[in-house]
């Protein structure tokens, strides 16, 4: 990949887990009433055919990882578990009151924080409470994020017993210098143990998360991490760029300087060598920064054009309605987004009072909905088209003009009613999506909002 292209396109930009992106939500016209009407509409239209997804945010961690930009609460007190779970179950009951029929759950994901901060017994209690009185789709996929240092055989067995078949473990990097910088000391033996134990118990998809561009990380460290990963051969991989966003409130990105981070050019070299090594052993690139073996459902969904992307990242199944439970969790009705309050105490207080704990959101305009489809197509399939009227919007000619320079750089090909991202352009798919992002173009941010695209 050319150094000039990296310098040219390495600019701040969204990762597009939604459109509009959160900083561009129109919160002034949003209301809880509009949100509940939106989720009711989505549920009525799609529950019987495709079901709904649930994301449950479990924010507690025993220690701070300094690469993490997620919402979390650092504590060693485990007496927080049961009150928090009871609040989640009550929030779920608040949503159930809006639905005329039983929800059919297609997908459920436990994210964090550290879900395995919670005891195996409490995690079973949570999942049994969620499924009490609702329907589980025949091909329902249950997944969770596990910390290799504290995920026990008991955790894996307990979650397997209530239906979980997919787990992802945060690896990041195996180099000790990098691990000390990001405050995530995690020997290879720990990852090996949880990976092999999950498979022994019966999990059908084990994933690893690996990050490049971390402080003090070298190309040699990335190669070493990939070689160790090849030894364990997880079914899918998230191999993504470290998002340096130290300005975000509550962020743990401390303990190292900007000068300790690899340059944009170094990061791309780390990615390219990692991608090459992964492809040699049979991994296929899925969307942006994700890889899977051909036996994994993520690869199969790419092949049959059903790959989807939402606030949980890439997923093998698409539902219009996704409800987020827990602090800071984001819900998606397809017509609108809503985010819960970020403080544990405020969240628990609102739910106790019988109030759905949403504090901001956005209802999509018709233009938003069309642009969202284009961006989703680009992120999931590296192509999009507008030959049908429902994919055409008023400012499309201006968008296509924005793309001309990317086409001149051979990052994409534009036909009469179709855009195809080239192999050379795939690392720049965020930049390509930015050409469609009219809200970003109409109001260029005056402060730092997004991580760098390369």
């Amino acid at each position: 990949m050319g150094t000039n292209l990296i310098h040219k396109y390495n600019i701040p930009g969204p990762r597009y887990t939604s459109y509009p992106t959160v900083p561009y939500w129109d919160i002034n016209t949003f209301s809880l009433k509009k949100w509940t009407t939106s989720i009711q509409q989505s549920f009525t239209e799609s529950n019987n055919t495709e079901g709904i997804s649930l994301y449950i945010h479990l924010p507690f961690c025993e220690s701070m990882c300094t690469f993490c930009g997620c919402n979390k609460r650092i504590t060693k007190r485990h007496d927080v578990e049961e009150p928090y779970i009871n609040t989640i179950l009550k929030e779920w009951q608040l949503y159930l009151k809006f639905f005329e029929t039983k929800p059919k759950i297609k997908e459920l994901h436990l994210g964090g924080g550290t879900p395995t901060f919670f005891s195996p017994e409490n995690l079973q209690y949570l999942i049994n409470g969620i499924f009490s009185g609702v329907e589980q789709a025949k091909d329902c996929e249950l997944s969770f994020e596990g910390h290799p240092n504290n995920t026990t055989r008991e955790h894996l067995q307990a979650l397997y017993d209530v239906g979980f078949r997919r787990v992802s473990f945060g690896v990041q990097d195996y180099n000790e210098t990098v691990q000390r910088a990001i405050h995530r000391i995690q020997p290879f033996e720990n990852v090996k143990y949880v990976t092999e134990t999950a498979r022994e118990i019966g999990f059908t998809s084990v994933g690893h998360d690996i990050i490049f561009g971390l402080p003090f990380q070298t190309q040699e460290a990335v190669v070493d991490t990939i070689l160790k990963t090849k030894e364990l051969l997880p079914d899918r991989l998230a191999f993504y760029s470290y998002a340096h966003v130290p300005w975000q409130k509550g962020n743990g990105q401390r303990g190292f300087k900007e000068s300790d981070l690899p340059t944009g050019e170094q990061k791309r070299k780390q990615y390219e060598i990692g991608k090459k090594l992964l492809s040699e052993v049979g991994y296929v690139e899925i969307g942006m920064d994700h890889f899977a073996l051909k036996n994994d459902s993520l690869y199969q969904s790419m092949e049959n054009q059903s790959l989807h992307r939402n606030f949980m990242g890439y997923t093998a199944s698409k539902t219009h309605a996704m409800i987020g439970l827990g602090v800071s969790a984001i819900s998606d009705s397809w017509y609108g987004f809503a985010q819960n309050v970020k403080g544990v105490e405020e969240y628990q207080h609102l739910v106790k009072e019988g109030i759905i704990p949403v504090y901001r959101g956005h209802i999509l305009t018709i233009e938003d909905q069309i642009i969202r489809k284009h961006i989703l197509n680009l992120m999931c399939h590296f192509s999009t088209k507008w030959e049908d009227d429902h994919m055409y919007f008023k400012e499309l000619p201006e968008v296509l003009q924005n793309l001309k320079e990317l086409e001149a750089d051979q990052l994409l090909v534009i036909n009469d009613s179709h855009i195809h991202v080239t192999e050379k352009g795939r690392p720049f798919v965020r930049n390509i999506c930015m050409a469609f992002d009219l809200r970003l173009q109409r109001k260029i941010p005056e402060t730092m909002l997004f991580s760098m695209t390369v």
Side-chain angles (χ1 to χ4, degrees), residues 230-244:
K230 287 168 64 175
E231 183 180 330
L232 300 178
L233 212 63
D235 301 277
R236 64 174 70 171
L237 280 167
F239 180 47
Y240 58 93
S241 169
Y242 165 61
H244 191 56

Side-chain angles (χ1 to χ4, degrees), residues 53 64 70 92 117 150 155 175 189 213 227 232 243 303 382 413 418:
S53 297
M64 175 78 80
C70 300
W92 178 227
F117 171 96
N150 69 9
H155 278 113
N175 181 272
E189 289 71 21
L227 292 177
L232 300 178
E303 285 290 282
F382 294 116
V413 176
H418 182 263

Side-chain angles (χ1 to χ4, degrees), residues 47 50-54 92 96 102-109 127 130-132 134-142 319:
N47 182 57
E50 62 183 28
I52 69 170
S53 297
L54 286 184
W92 178 227
L96 292 179
K102 289 182 180 180
K104 183 170 66 175
I105 298 178
K106 171 83 169 181
E107 181 181 30
L108 183 149
H109 182 72
I127 299 305
I130 291 291
F131 282 113
S132 176
V134 305
E135 185 180 347
Q136 189 169 336
K138 183 180 179 181
D139 54 351
C140 177
E141 184 175 84
L142 278 65
T319 65

Side-chain angles (χ1 to χ4, degrees), residues 9-80:
Y9 290 111
N10 189 24
I11 59 176
R15 288 179 180 259
Y16 291 111
T17 49
S18 75
Y19 181 81
T21 56
V22 175
Y24 287 91
W25 285 359
D26 188 353
I27 58 176
N28 294 323
T29 60
F30 177 83
S31 68
L32 184 57
K33 175 63 176 174
K34 288 181 179 178
W35 164 246
T36 54
T37 299
S38 171
I39 195 66
Q40 280 178 299
Q41 177 188 352
S42 181
F43 179 86
T44 300
E45 291 174 351
S46 63
N47 182 57
N48 288 334
T49 54
E50 62 183 28
I52 69 170
S53 297
L54 286 184
Y55 170 77
I56 302 176
H57 189 69
L58 303 176
F60 301 107
C61 300
E62 287 197 345
S63 64
M64 175 78 80
C65 299
T66 58
F67 68 90
C68 180
C70 300
N71 182 292
K72 63 268 181 186
R73 172 70 62 89
I74 308 301
T75 181
K76 293 186 182 295
R77 291 182 50 187
H78 285 264
D79 57 356
V80 299

Side-chain angles (χ1 to χ4, degrees), residues 26 78 170 227 302 380 415 435 454:
D26 188 353
H78 285 264
L227 292 177
M302 181 192 73
C380 294
N415 296 321
V454 175

